[in-house]
């Protein structure tokens, strides 16, 4: 155990322990995950204790604490993408899946998950990032991120 105090006067305790990771029992369940900006993740279905009722995991916004330093050194980079830490999140999902004997299927980054209607399969022509909800010509109303997560799930299952 290590106890430390930072320059702002905050105390931190770090505990290091050894543990054996055991694979989980096989399951038939699957979930689609859409990484986003307004929500860190959106799952194709809500999971109690993990997501809100819509299946969304809030963006922790870690970048905000270092914004002044980042502004000087990285003015050209998109704050929201750095804030979400997508690459680190994917790396964690990959090793955790391996630990627990699970399969992580990654769909192509250019797959039109947000613009593809999960009800009828029609791809919307244009969808700017500020459009967070939309209605397809078939009448299906979609939350952009939930729709994308459902499409990611379907595409991942098809790739398996």
């Amino acid at each position: 155990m290590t106890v430390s105090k930072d320059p702002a006067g905050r105390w931190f305790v770090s505990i290091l322990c050894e543990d054996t990771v055991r694979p989980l029992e096989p399951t038939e369940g699957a979930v689609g995950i859409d990484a986003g900006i307004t929500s860190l993740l959106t799952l194709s279905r809500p999971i109690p204790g993990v997501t809100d009722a819509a299946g969304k995991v809030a963006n922790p916004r870690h970048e905000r604490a270092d914004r002044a330093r980042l502004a000087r050194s990285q003015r050209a980079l998109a704050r929201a993408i750095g804030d979400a830490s997508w690459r680190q999140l994917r790396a964690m999902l990959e090793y955790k899946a391996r630990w627990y004997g699970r399969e992580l299927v990654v769909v192509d980054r250019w797959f039109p998950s947000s613009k593809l209607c999960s009800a009828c399969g029609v791809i919307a022509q244009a969808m700017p990032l500020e459009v967070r909800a939309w209605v397809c010509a078939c009448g299906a109303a979609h939350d952009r991120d939930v729709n994308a997560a459902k499409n990611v799930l379907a595409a991942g299952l098809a790739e398996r």
Side-chain angles (χ1 to χ4, degrees), residues 9-122:
R10 297 175 296 196
W11 289 92
F12 297 90
V13 177
S14 300
I15 300 173
L16 176 65
C17 59
E18 255 183 64
D19 193 11
T20 303
V21 179
R22 295 178 190 87
L24 298 172
E25 294 296 317
T27 181
E28 294 299 316
V31 65
I33 302 172
D34 178 59
I37 294 174
T38 56
S39 297
L40 178 62
L41 299 175
T42 301
L43 307 184
S44 57
R45 59 183 164 84
I47 298 177
V50 177
T51 67
D52 63 13
K56 296 185 179 196
V57 177
N59 185 340
R61 307 205 186 284
H62 295 298
E63 175 266 345
R64 290 191 183 202
D66 294 327
R67 186 163 290 166
R69 184 180 56 81
L70 284 171
R72 287 188 302 273
S73 62
Q74 300 178 334
R75 290 196 190 281
L77 296 179
R79 281 186 179 151
I81 292 171
D83 197 16
S85 303
W86 291 336
R87 181 67 202 127
Q88 183 177 4
L89 175 66
R90 180 170 161 189
M92 287 190 283
L93 285 173
E94 288 170 344
Y95 84 77
K96 297 258 183 204
R98 278 193 308 275
W99 273 5
Y100 295 112
R102 298 296 190 243
E103 180 182 13
L104 178 68
V105 178
V106 179
V107 298
D108 183 87
R109 76 180 275 185
W110 301 112
F111 175 67
S113 60
S114 296
K115 299 190 314 182
L116 178 66
C117 175
S118 60
C120 72
V122 169

